[in-house]
Amino acid sequence: MSRSADNMEWNASETIAQFSVGFSALDLSPAHYRLCSRALIDTVAVAVAGRAEQASRLALRYAEQQGGVPGATAWGADVLLSIEHAALYNGIAGHVLDYDDVTSPLRGHPSIALLPPLVALAEAQDKTGEALAVAFVVGFEVLCKLARCMVADHYAKGWHSTASVGTLGATVACARLLGLSAMETRHAVGLAVAQTAGTRANFGTMAKSFQAGNAGAAALRAVLLAQAGFTGAPDALGAPFGYMDLYANGEDPVATLTELGRAPLEMDTSGFEIKKYPLCYATHRAIDGVLDLKREHGIEMADVKGVEIIANNRALVPLIYPRPATGLEGKFSMHYAVVAALLDGRVSLASFQDDAVQRPAVQTRLAMVNAREDEGAQSPRWTVVRIFMNDGRVLEKRVTTLRGAANCPLTDAELIDKARDCFAFSAMAAHADGFVDAAMSLRDRKVRDIIATLGA
């Protein structure tokens, strides 16, 4: 729906700013704090697991070379960086494995956009976990509401919504944590729009994780400049030639943004989808289906003639590597996901080492997988897996429920197991339980004390 003339005087940026300053900690329940704790555990754990990736090592070296006033921790590196560079590094390390959480309205990863800048700011300013949680909910609310009105075509066009929408949510979250006024928040939104970018062409490369990390760094830059008196457009979101005109298709955000903060919150209706597997979420239903069929029928790779994956319309858009040659490319390949699941009986962090993807046993079988989209509706989402056996049987499974999704979440025990695996993968197993325990009591802790549990 395009903006009508009746709405031209309505100010989207001001609406968001008023929501940010007016939202109260009294609006949060214990369940909301628990969700925030789970998001923090998952995000930091996958960043710790990603610290040895080349992109992370290069980002840390860059951040250390830039200097600045040390204020926040590089997770898993036990190094203090400037808050902007800590957000950049932690965002890169937390996204490079593509193992961080997702939310459906965004078609992307909310916590990696929100938490690296929020935690860096909270650590530097000795904020409480309660203050962090309130700001996180504010940012998540803005991010999801914006996405609801414009992200489908925006993402299909090629934008990386984790960055291109996430920067705006992160900016409002940081503005709330920093205590900016409505006017300062509006200027911060303008400064965020000035920096917002991110393209899906960079998927399968280091630049994808950079886009996520840069979202947090840009958000901090926007709020700190706004706090210092730097100004932006009165409504860089909704005005002519603003964000909605250029990044979206001129959709009218009134209906969604006027719902900001009204119960039920996006935390309740959208929630977080915590990944079971460390690759693009678009593959996960297929992996579940393949692993289920393999387990139910005792399938061995030598028995398989071919595999067909059929998914709902636009479900496979991010999967741009039918013949991946590297671990990063493998994270955006339905073909590799299926072959790895059949060949190894699992899809794990080790599946995305370059040598795992480059195995002849994998490369020679990629062509046996055919993946296509149905021409029908985009939702509800589903995937059909068909495995064609050499003996003529066709084994089929339709997967609708996504394990780890908001309506089928990982249990706390499963999340803790994932966190422990991430810490162990990065040779930091000794720190896992201390961090998890501290993060689970987020509301009653200082953020600085929680992050201190990651120390060497």
Side-chain angles (χ1 to χ4, degrees), residues 18 34 45 72 105 133 185 192 221 223 228 244 246 314 320 332 394 406 434 456:
Q18 291 294 340
R34 177 174 172 271
T185 301
R221 196 177 304 127
V223 297
M244 294 302 295
L246 300 177
R314 286 188 174 176
I320 59 178
F332 301 93
V394 179

Side-chain angles (χ1 to χ4, degrees), residues 209-262:
S209 58
F210 169 79
Q211 288 170 179
N214 191 55
L220 286 172
R221 196 177 304 127
V223 297
L224 293 172
L225 282 169
Q227 185 185 46
F230 214 98
T231 63
D235 186 12
L237 273 177
F241 312 117
Y243 183 90
M244 294 302 295
D245 275 355
L246 300 177
Y247 290 76
N249 290 313
E251 294 96 338
D252 192 342
V254 172
T256 53
L257 293 187
T258 52
E259 293 295 314
L260 282 166
R262 295 183 183 175

